[in-house]
Amino acid sequence: MKDTDLYGVDAEARTVFRADCPSRPILDQIADKWSMMVMALLVRPTRFNELKRGLEGITQRVLTQTLRRLERNGMIQRTVLPTSPVGVEYSLTPLGESLREPFGWLYDWTVDHCGEIQSCQRAYDTRADA
């Protein structure tokens, strides 16, 4: 018989939420808004400035940090182009490409429920202001 908590979650499933679980920093690094948006834009090899133009509101510093983090985690590949001046383009790796479908589901869910969520936010804010 499995050890379960009050809500019927078995002990093995609970360990996923431990502070030392290796999934936590990975989720933190790849599931933030800028990482997800960068990866959504990378449908083909793309240069830095094109990515920046496609992400209204991102600073050059934040985009650089995001790209480095994604490269470090194996999600994207940075390729230096033999041009003058030297150019750089970014593309998804096979590992990054494997996230396209789940990120797509999350994006679709967000779009489908955006109105409902905004309505809940307005209702909450109205209650909080009262």
Side-chain angles (χ1 to χ4, degrees):
M1 185 169 152
K2 286 188 174 182
D3 176 31
T4 61
D5 68 9
L6 180 65
Y7 303 102
V9 176
D10 70 70
E12 283 184 41
R14 283 195 310 265
T15 62
V16 171
F17 302 110
R18 291 177 45 117
D20 63 348
C21 179
S23 69
R24 290 178 92 175
I26 295 168
L27 283 170
D28 183 49
Q29 292 174 8
I30 64 172
D32 70 275
K33 71 176 179 180
W34 293 123
S35 293
M36 293 182 75
M37 289 182 197
V38 164
M39 292 178 67
L41 288 177
L42 289 175
V43 294
R44 59 175 171 67
T46 308
R47 290 188 177 215
F48 183 93
N49 285 330
E50 187 177 351
L51 289 169
K52 190 167 182 327
R53 284 191 300 273
L55 295 167
E56 188 173 307
I58 195 168
T59 64
Q60 183 164 332
R61 179 176 162 269
V62 169
L63 180 55
T64 298
Q65 291 171 337
T66 300
L67 291 168
R68 286 181 182 159
R69 189 172 51 247
L70 289 170
E71 183 180 10
R72 181 174 183 261
N73 287 312
M75 301 296 134
I76 65 170
Q77 174 178 302
R78 179 181 186 267
T79 303
V80 178
L81 304 172
T83 58
S84 182
V86 174
V88 176
E89 66 182 15
Y90 298 88
S91 57
L92 291 177
T93 63
L95 185 60
E97 189 67 46
S98 72
L99 279 173
R100 185 173 298 288
E101 189 173 13
F103 275 5
W105 294 333
L106 181 57
Y107 176 78
D108 291 345
W109 182 90
T110 302
V111 170
D112 290 347
H113 294 88
C114 189
E116 182 180 354
I117 291 167
Q118 289 172 333
S119 177
C120 290
Q121 290 169 341
R122 284 189 297 274
Y124 178 92
D125 293 345
T126 299
R127 288 191 311 272
D129 290 341

